[in-house]
Amino acid sequence: MSDAFDIVIVGGGPGGYPAAIRAAQLGMRVACIERGERLGGTCLNVGCIPSKALLDATETYSLIRHGASGFGIRVPEVEFDLAGIMAHKERVVGGLAQGIDFLFRKHRITRVRGTGRIEAPDRVVVTPTEGGAPRTLTATRGVVIATGSDATPLPGIEVDEKRIVSSTGALSLPEVPRRLAIIGAGYIGLELGSVWRRLGAEVTVLEYLDRITPGLDAEIAEALQRVLEEQGFRFRLGTRVLGARRAGDDVRITVQPAQGDGAGAPEELAADVLLVAVGRRAFAEGLGLEALGVALDERRRVKVDARFQTSVPGVYAIGDVIAGPMLAHKAEEEGIALAEILAGQAGHVDYGTIPAVVYTWPEVASVGRTEEELKKDDVAYRVGRFPFSANARARSRRATDGMVKVLADAATDRVLGVHIIGPDAGTLIHEAVLAMTFGASAEDIGRTTHAHPTLPEALREAALAVDGRPMHL
Ligand code: FAD
């Protein structure tokens, strides 16, 4: 087998594998090096997909248990089988991983199992995972770093993936913890907290800031906190975690008020399982970047220019390992754009229209700028809101929590941001993404015919509300 390629990609996650497919579609000879057993990276193996499989399973259980009677459906007894739920998760992940293998075969992409180290701008040495002699791959058009991220550790807390877990351990707990404590009120903590809350765990979220989901529009974040509290979540905001340790079957967590002069007395909390979910950090260990001269930024992310080229010509980087939102679809867009650039085309990512979704119930989804950002930048804007309680389909689905919020430029009416909390928000947001991609005004959305009765009518109504004329409010 020849070891000469047009491009060599290190990392087979949602950045690396779409880059490989697009490059192959454009006629390039491609190798993709992945040290893990399966392609798909963090997202498929221990991220987006297993978490959604657990969220979908537990949401179904919760709907039958708590929601069926409201539809006039009597379900005398509902039980869950944790092993069955985990088997569902494994089937989803395994099936999708096979799907990527199929796509690699279809596009004649060479998959190399092992750990890559970039020896020169056109050369990667692979140490095979199964042992054996290292293999050297050469690239005529570029070497791509797509090595992703890993969980950020918290000083003073040692993750053992049993009682003190990262998101990876929290996806595979062998039993439902009676008390689950979570450090960090970001989307990963809230999604995994939802999974175990629905199965009966008492969930307490410890957050340093005085709000949840930093980065989300504050009004939407407050609404999310309220519904999660109604579901039984307990939030301790403004709380600094000083440390945590195992004590028999308990985890003892030491906390202190985050604000003030630090005089607040430390307090000890007990939990059966502690999930540390304080964020993720770029991962580029062992690639030999220092010797190669690839520049990193202050957060140790690989620095790239507008064409994803690092400080070393011929070496490129995409996905979680570079700056920007750590999201699978952002990594994928960058992988596709880079393959097109390397093929001489005008690959491009529109960073202003990357949606973000929190897959709790109800879901939260957003695109564009938040109200706080517009205020900070002194942008004159108008806002339209529409609650799902006034949407016919949401009422028929008994899913009336939440609202759609549209932010539009006061002078031009161009949509600047859309924020949704409510049923299927993660699906609904894409109409707003498309509208913003094409530079739509709020009036454009308001004048677009929406089928009745559907949830997307709430977006249309919020767009009309920007002009003070919603139809059903
Ligand atoms: P990764 O997916 O991290 O892939 C990098 C790959 O490179 C890995 O497979 C790794 O094994 C491999 N690698 C590293 N170094 C080497 C080396 N030297 N040689 C060979 N291989 C190497 N994002 C969303 O958009 N939606 C979600 O719902 C979502 N949910 C998430 C839930 C959880 C619990 C977590 C942890 C993350 C979630 N994310 C979600 C984030 C998403 O997983 C990441 O943004 C995405 O995986 C980044 O893709 P990537 O290709 O840049 O990196």
Side-chain angles (χ1 to χ4, degrees):
M1 192 195 310
S2 165
D3 282 345
F5 299 91
D6 293 314
I7 70 171
V8 173
I9 300 166
V10 188
Y17 88 76
I21 292 175
R22 186 72 188 115
Q25 283 175 344
L26 292 166
M28 289 187 250
R29 290 165 305 155
V30 186
C32 182
I33 306 162
E34 170 55 58
R35 62 185 176 162
E37 196 184 322
R38 293 193 287 217
L39 291 165
T42 303
C43 174
L44 176 54
N45 293 291
V46 289
C48 331
I49 303 302
S51 60
K52 265 81 258 178
L54 294 182
L55 281 159
D56 285 333
T58 55
E59 194 176 299
T60 305
Y61 167 68
S62 181
L63 180 67
I64 296 169
R65 182 154 181 231
H66 303 292
S69 64
F71 287 105
I73 301 169
R74 271 196 305 278
V75 186
E77 244 175 82
V78 199
E79 284 178 358
F80 67 85
D81 160 26
L82 188 57
I85 291 176
M86 292 295 166
H88 158 69
K89 178 193 75 172
E90 290 305 323
R91 275 194 304 275
V92 173
V93 171
L96 290 171
Q98 281 177 5
I100 305 176
D101 290 340
F102 163 78
L103 293 172
F104 269 33
R105 285 195 301 276
K106 175 178 162 190
H107 292 288
R108 299 186 194 292
I109 296 162
T110 302
R111 191 224 152 144
V112 183
R113 176 119 195 263
T115 301
R117 187 170 48 79
I118 308 173
E119 210 176 56
D122 63 350
R123 211 163 53 243
V124 183
V125 176
V126 187
T127 306
T129 308
E130 281 96 11
R135 182 172 165 190
T136 300
L137 311 181
T138 57
T140 52
R141 292 208 212 180
V143 167
V144 181
I145 303 168
T147 48
S149 61
D150 64 1
T152 308
L154 205 54
I157 301 185
E158 203 177 312
V159 169
D160 61 16
E161 296 297 10
K162 290 188 170 70
R163 295 271 170 184
I164 302 182
V165 297
S166 69
S167 56
T168 300
L171 289 166
S172 296
L173 296 179
E175 56 190 42
V176 179
R178 189 170 67 77
R179 300 158 303 175
L180 172 66
I182 300 172
I183 309 177
Y187 80 91
I188 292 179
L190 300 183
E191 289 182 6
L192 292 171
S194 293
V195 165
W196 297 106
R197 174 73 204 123
R198 291 167 189 166
L199 299 179
E202 289 167 17
V203 174
T204 304
V205 181
L206 310 167
E207 168 59 52
Y208 181 81
L209 300 175
D210 58 4
R211 56 163 291 177
I212 69 167
T213 51
L216 277 189
D217 188 276
E219 185 180 5
I220 299 287
E222 268 173 42
L224 176 63
Q225 185 179 337
R226 267 196 309 277
V227 256
L228 291 177
E229 278 168 347
E230 280 163 23
Q231 292 168 20
F233 270 71
R234 288 179 47 209
F235 288 98
R236 293 192 50 160
L237 305 180
T239 298
R240 186 201 314 267
V241 175
L242 300 175
R245 64 190 163 83
R246 296 267 308 253
D249 279 348
D250 269 6
V251 180
R252 299 278 164 80
I253 309 148
T254 313
V255 299
Q256 190 182 38
Q259 302 302 324
D261 55 7
E267 183 191 342
E268 197 167 79
L269 310 175
D272 300 294
V273 171
L274 171 65
L275 163 60
V276 183
V278 293
R280 295 184 64 78
R281 58 180 183 179
F283 179 84
E285 301 311 311
L287 282 172
L289 298 190
E290 218 159 278
L292 202 62
V294 170
L296 305 181
D297 70 11
E298 68 296 344
R299 291 169 59 185
R300 299 196 60 73
R301 298 174 297 196
V302 176
K303 273 191 186 172
V304 290
D305 63 15
R307 292 163 51 84
F308 306 105
Q309 184 161 269
T310 68
S311 55
V312 175
V315 179
Y316 301 83
I318 53 169
D320 278 10
V321 80
I322 67 169
M326 287 184 160
L327 293 170
H329 43 283
K330 176 261 193 188
E332 175 173 1
E333 289 303 317
E334 290 176 343
I336 293 169
L338 173 57
E340 291 175 351
I341 289 168
L342 292 176
Q345 298 185 354
H348 159 80
V349 178
D350 181 355
Y351 288 100
T353 58
I354 294 177
V357 181
V358 186
Y359 297 85
T360 45
W361 177 262
E363 288 180 352
V364 175
S366 58
V367 58
R369 321 211 41 211
T370 64
E371 200 166 349
E372 294 70 45
E373 287 169 343
L374 296 177
K375 278 186 183 142
K376 193 164 143 264
D377 292 349
D378 264 335
V379 178
Y381 63 91
R382 294 198 297 171
V383 55
R385 296 180 180 81
F386 191 81
F388 280 103
S389 55
N391 173 273
R393 192 60 186 279
R395 291 180 82 101
S396 94
R397 280 181 59 175
R398 296 178 45 77
T400 50
D401 277 336
M403 66 160 153
V404 180
K405 175 173 173 180
V406 174
L407 299 162
D409 188 287
T412 65
D413 197 38
R414 187 176 178 139
V415 178
L416 301 174
V418 175
H419 306 276
I420 307 176
I421 175 166
D424 293 350
T427 305
L428 298 180
I429 198 67
H430 291 93
E431 181 182 349
V433 175
L434 195 66
M436 285 181 66
T437 301
F438 285 90
S441 62
E443 184 183 349
D444 289 330
I445 300 177
R447 286 189 182 278
T448 303
T449 308
H450 287 66
H452 177 73
T454 58
L455 298 174
E457 286 177 292
L459 174 62
R460 177 179 184 233
E461 291 273 16
L464 289 171
V466 169
D467 194 33
R469 55 187 185 95
M471 296 298 294
H472 295 88
L473 208 59

